[in-house]
Coordinates of all heavy atoms in Angstrom, one line a residue:
T179 N 163.0 27.7 7.6 CA 164.2 27.0 7.6 C 165.4 27.7 8.4 O 165.4 27.5 9.5 CB 164.7 26.8 6.1 OG1 164.7 28.1 5.4 CG2 163.7 25.9 5.3
V180 N 166.2 28.4 7.7 CA 167.4 29.1 8.3 C 167.0 30.1 9.4 O 167.8 30.4 10.3 CB 168.3 29.7 7.3 CG1 168.9 28.6 6.4 CG2 167.6 30.8 6.5
G181 N 165.8 30.7 9.3 CA 165.4 31.7 10.2 C 164.9 31.2 11.6 O 164.9 32.0 12.5
R182 N 164.5 30.0 11.6 CA 164.0 29.5 12.9 C 165.1 29.6 14.0 O 166.2 29.3 13.8 CB 163.6 28.0 12.8 CG 162.4 27.8 11.9 CD 162.1 26.3 11.8 NE 162.0 25.6 13.0 CZ 161.7 24.3 13.1 NH1 161.6 23.6 12.1 NH2 161.5 23.8 14.3
N183 N 164.7 30.0 15.2 CA 165.6 30.1 16.3 C 165.0 29.7 17.6 O 163.7 29.7 17.8 CB 166.2 31.5 16.4 CG 165.2 32.5 16.8 OD1 164.9 32.6 18.0 ND2 164.8 33.4 15.9
A184 N 165.8 29.2 18.5 CA 165.3 28.6 19.8 C 164.6 29.6 20.6 O 163.7 29.3 21.3 CB 166.5 28.0 20.5
T185 N 165.0 30.9 20.6 CA 164.4 31.9 21.4 C 163.0 32.1 21.0 O 162.1 32.2 21.9 CB 165.2 33.2 21.3 OG1 166.6 33.0 21.7 CG2 164.6 34.3 22.2
A186 N 162.7 32.3 19.7 CA 161.3 32.5 19.3 C 160.5 31.2 19.5 O 159.3 31.4 19.9 CB 161.4 32.8 17.8
W187 N 161.1 30.0 19.3 CA 160.3 28.8 19.5 C 159.9 28.7 21.0 O 158.7 28.4 21.2 CB 161.2 27.6 19.0 CG 160.4 26.4 19.2 CD1 160.4 25.5 20.3 CD2 159.5 25.7 18.2 NE1 159.6 24.4 20.1 CE2 159.0 24.6 18.8 CE3 159.1 26.1 16.9 CZ2 158.1 23.7 18.2 CZ3 158.2 25.2 16.3 CH2 157.8 24.1 16.9
A188 N 160.8 29.0 21.9 CA 160.5 28.8 23.3 C 159.4 29.9 23.7 O 158.6 29.6 24.6 CB 161.8 29.0 24.1
A189 N 159.5 31.1 23.1 CA 158.6 32.1 23.5 C 157.2 32.0 23.0 O 156.2 32.4 23.6 CB 159.2 33.5 23.1
N190 N 157.1 31.3 21.7 CA 155.8 31.3 21.1 C 155.1 30.0 21.1 O 153.9 29.9 20.8 CB 156.0 31.8 19.6 CG 156.5 33.2 19.5 OD1 156.2 34.0 20.4 ND2 157.3 33.5 18.5
F191 N 155.8 28.9 21.2 CA 155.2 27.6 21.0 C 155.3 26.8 22.3 O 155.8 27.3 23.4 CB 155.8 26.8 19.9 CG 155.5 27.6 18.5 CD1 156.5 28.4 18.0 CD2 154.4 27.4 17.9 CE1 156.3 29.1 16.8 CE2 154.1 28.1 16.7 CZ 155.1 28.9 16.2
G192 N 154.8 25.6 22.3 CA 154.8 24.8 23.5 C 153.7 25.4 24.4 O 152.7 25.8 24.0
N194 N 153.5 28.1 26.0 CA 153.3 29.6 25.8 C 152.4 29.9 24.6 O 151.8 30.9 24.5 CB 154.6 30.3 25.5 CG 155.5 30.3 26.7 OD1 155.0 30.3 27.8 ND2 156.8 30.4 26.5
L278 N 156.4 34.1 13.7 CA 156.5 33.5 15.0 C 157.7 32.5 15.2 O 158.2 32.3 16.3 CB 155.2 32.7 15.3 CG 154.0 33.5 15.6 CD1 152.8 32.6 15.8 CD2 154.1 34.4 16.8
L279 N 158.2 32.0 14.1 CA 159.3 31.1 14.1 C 160.6 31.9 14.2 O 161.7 31.4 14.6 CB 159.4 30.2 12.9 CG 158.3 29.2 12.7 CD1 158.3 28.5 11.4 CD2 158.5 28.1 13.8
V280 N 160.6 33.2 13.8 CA 161.9 34.0 13.7 C 161.9 34.9 14.9 O 163.0 35.2 15.5 CB 162.0 34.8 12.4 CG1 163.2 35.7 12.4 CG2 161.9 33.8 11.3
L281 N 160.8 35.5 15.3 CA 160.7 36.5 16.4 C 159.8 36.1 17.5 O 158.7 35.6 17.2 CB 160.3 37.9 15.8 CG 161.1 38.5 14.7 CD1 160.4 39.8 14.1 CD2 162.5 39.0 15.2
P282 N 160.1 36.5 18.7 CA 159.1 36.2 19.8 C 158.0 37.2 19.6 O 158.2 38.4 19.2 CB 160.0 36.5 21.1 CG 161.1 37.4 20.6 CD 161.4 37.0 19.2
L293 N 165.4 41.1 18.1 CA 164.8 40.0 18.9 C 164.2 40.6 20.2 O 163.1 40.1 20.6 CB 166.0 39.1 19.2 CG 165.6 37.6 19.5 CD1 164.9 37.0 18.3 CD2 166.8 36.8 19.9
Q312 N 166.5 40.0 11.4 CA 166.9 39.0 12.4 C 167.7 37.8 11.8 O 168.7 37.3 12.3 CB 165.7 38.4 13.1 CG 166.0 37.3 14.0 CD 167.0 37.5 15.1 OE1 167.1 38.7 15.6 NE2 167.7 36.5 15.5

Side-chain angles (χ1 to χ4, degrees):
T179 55
V180 298
R182 290 177 57 182
N183 67 77
T185 301
W187 182 269
N190 297 329
F191 296 96
N194 290 334
L278 290 175
L279 291 171
V280 178
L281 298 171
L293 207 61
Q312 171 59 28

